Amino acid sequence: MSRPIAIIGGTGPAGTGLALRWARAGETIIIGSRDAARAQGAAETIRQRVGANAGVSGLENSAACAASDLLMLTVPFAGQAELLKQLKNAIRAGSILIDATVPLAASVGGRASRTLGVWQGSAAQQTAELVPKGVSVVAAFHNVSADVLSSDDDVDCDVIVCSDDPRATEVAMELAAKIPRVRAIDGGKLENARIVEQITALLIGLNIRHKGHGGVRITGLPPSAYHGGPAS
Ligand SMILES: NC(=O)c1ccc[n+]([C@@H]2O[C@H](COP(=O)([O-])OP(=O)(O)OC[C@H]3O[C@@H](n4cnc5c(N)ncnc54)[C@H](OP(=O)(O)O)[C@@H]3O)[C@@H](O)[C@H]2O)c1
């Protein structure tokens, strides 16, 4: 894939973890932040881990949107709607926006193992309401631990990808399959993001209880359902 991936809110653990994995896979990454200097700092940290030739740069969020039509959104739910409203004019027509936002109660001071109700059904559906017309929203990467992404270990997790645009689903599945051992699975329509987002809260609870970094694996589907990973 030749176009850059702009990670909006890419300075946090989820964004930098994905950036690290995709930079290692040879992708060009733009880290987005509300603060350009913070974005550049995060990009430099990733370059130090991947190598000087890694194509990782940092920009303020709206400049990052303007620089690519493939966007990854990794911000806390509490800031998601406001940020998307601010970025509306910067997001290019025809863009694909992959949303990993989980509506965790922690984003408004509650528990990380609980979720908030979202009027639209899910954080991803809220995003779909807020982006400019013609932008395809995909929900993906909710269940992958940022701690694991940021490590040097293979990622023992499937990525369930939901979107109403099959072309966008395919792009997100290709990106997921670039992460070692991740298998991407087409999870159907964007409305299914509601269920995938909830699984993250369960995983956080399990990880607290058992002191681990658990992910999800979907078993029993035909091989053609799995994209990437050792078992595909
Ligand atoms: N952490 C995980 O393991 C994980 C796994 C799967 C999905 N997720 C989801 O991915 C998203 C990001 O997770 P994270 O742990 O990386 O979150 P985070 O560290 O809390 O936030 C990520 C970045 O978002 C920006 N940000 C924070 N508050 C904001 C606001 N009010 N408005 C605009 N930007 C804001 C910050 O970047 P700047 O200050 O540089 O702008 C921050 O570095 C969350 O929705 C989370 O539920 C996380």
Side-chain angles (χ1 to χ4, degrees):
M1 196 173 301
S2 56
R3 57 184 166 179
I5 308 160
I7 307 182
I8 308 307
T11 55
T16 51
L18 289 168
L20 177 73
R21 296 301 178 142
W22 288 330
R24 280 182 181 155
E27 296 294 317
T28 302
I29 308 294
I30 301 166
I31 299 285
S33 166
R34 290 169 293 182
D35 179 87
R38 197 154 50 239
Q40 285 153 14
E44 175 57 24
T45 303
I46 295 165
R47 279 197 303 273
Q48 280 171 10
R49 284 190 64 184
V50 179
N53 289 335
V56 188
S57 58
L59 291 173
E60 185 276 325
N61 282 327
S62 57
C65 289
S68 179
D69 61 0
L70 179 54
L71 310 176
M72 178 78 226
L73 182 66
T74 52
V75 293
F77 179 70
Q80 183 206 39
E82 190 55 39
L83 181 65
L84 287 169
K85 285 178 199 164
Q86 288 165 16
L87 296 176
K88 196 156 190 169
N89 291 330
I91 297 175
R92 287 158 50 173
S95 292
I96 291 173
L97 187 152
I98 307 169
D99 192 355
T101 309
V102 181
L104 293 177
S107 79
V108 292
R111 289 192 188 174
S113 54
R114 288 183 182 158
T115 53
L116 301 166
V118 185
W119 282 111
Q120 293 83 349
S122 64
Q125 287 166 288
Q126 173 170 270
T127 292
E129 269 194 15
L130 293 169
V131 294
K133 259 199 163 64
V135 172
S136 294
V137 174
V138 188
F141 301 105
H142 306 86
N143 306 146
V144 184
S145 154
D147 286 343
V148 178
L149 283 173
S150 301
S151 73
D152 296 324
D153 300 337
D154 285 355
V155 178
D156 188 13
C157 189
D158 290 341
V159 168
I160 300 168
V161 179
C162 305
S163 177
D164 296 334
D165 178 352
R167 176 191 62 110
T169 295
E170 204 175 305
V171 170
M173 286 179 66
E174 272 180 36
L175 285 180
K178 287 180 184 284
I179 302 171
R181 285 206 68 211
V182 162
R183 300 179 308 184
I185 299 170
D186 182 347
K189 285 186 161 298
L190 192 67
E191 66 182 35
N192 290 338
R194 177 177 54 87
I195 303 160
V196 182
E197 291 172 7
Q198 299 289 324
I199 293 171
T200 304
L202 174 67
L203 286 172
I204 290 171
L206 290 172
N207 288 334
I208 292 169
R209 176 178 294 268
H210 299 288
K211 298 182 175 48
H213 298 289
V216 288
R217 287 294 195 195
I218 306 295
T219 61
L221 299 176
S224 60
Y226 301 101
H227 191 68
S232 65

